[in-house]
Amino acid sequence: MLAVIIAAAAALLYSCQDNGNPPGTATPQSTTTAPAAAPQTGTSASQRPEPTSPEDVVHQAMTVAFTLAPTTDENPTSGFRRATQWFTPALAARLTSDVRNERGPSLQWQQWINDNARVIADVAIGCSGCPPDTDTTAHRVATITQTTVTGNTTRPVEPDTTVWLTLTAADGRWLIDNLTY
């Protein structure tokens, strides 16, 4: 519960920063209190998260990866770039490779830019049917519910996204090694 309160406070501080309000001034928020983490850059060892449970790693990584600011993010991959500290180097390279799309941004992405919307992710973690954990491997399922916030208006993004994740433990820390939709 403490982690949810801390994450909600981080989301509030992050939202105050993004809309130009001075630090410490609150902006009216929606009833959605999904946690959001501030953008992270780089993947140096000093920025790696402390050893935590597989659930903590999945929750942090998927919250960061699926929380977006379309007016400042280059594209939806920007969230995955911010979350690389929770990925193995091989997965980080695969998820953040610079793939060009001749068609340009999606209509939804462009609408979020036009609306000056932010996309907040709420992550639920489960493991029904997952193989048993070992000392070095864990499997989890994350359901990501996204909500757009435009001014004082919130709208759910449908449908929810389900991600199956495989984590590996190395040097006393869990990292996401694979994810599939």
Side-chain angles (χ1 to χ4, degrees):
M1 186 60 144
L2 180 60
V4 171
I5 292 170
I6 291 170
L12 180 61
L13 289 173
Y14 179 69
S15 67
C16 289
Q17 239 178 359
D18 277 354
N19 60 20
N21 289 344
T25 38
T27 300
Q29 294 293 315
S30 69
T31 57
T32 303
T33 58
Q40 304 272 333
T41 57
T43 59
S44 71
S46 65
Q47 293 178 336
R48 294 246 184 223
E50 292 298 317
T52 56
S53 70
E55 290 79 13
D56 290 340
V57 171
V58 168
H59 189 268
Q60 290 288 336
M62 295 298 98
T63 300
V64 170
F66 287 92
T67 296
L68 303 165
T71 57
T72 56
D73 286 346
E74 183 179 339
N75 56 47
T77 306
S78 298
F80 283 97
R81 283 190 176 97
R82 286 190 292 271
T84 57
Q85 63 184 318
W86 293 285
F87 302 151
T88 60
L91 181 62
R94 184 171 57 113
L95 292 175
T96 61
S97 63
D98 191 19
V99 177
R100 296 290 176 193
N101 184 343
E102 296 296 322
R103 296 179 359 212
S106 72
L107 293 174
Q108 181 64 73
W109 186 260
Q110 189 59 51
Q111 186 63 49
W112 288 338
I113 291 170
N114 295 344
D115 293 345
N116 195 30
R118 292 186 50 247
V119 181
I120 306 297
D122 185 25
V123 178
I125 301 162
C127 199
S128 178
C130 292
D133 290 352
T134 68
D135 290 341
T136 58
T137 305
H139 299 272
R140 297 295 182 267
V141 178
T143 301
I144 297 101
T145 302
Q146 292 175 299
T147 304
T148 60
V149 179
T150 306
N152 292 330
T153 305
T154 63
R155 289 190 185 98
V157 176
E158 295 184 2
D160 288 349
T161 303
T162 302
V163 181
W164 288 264
L165 303 113
T166 302
L167 295 94
T168 59
D171 300 326
R173 119 180 91 226
W174 288 100
L175 295 174
I176 299 170
D177 187 46
N178 191 33
L179 63 84
T180 56
Y181 292 89

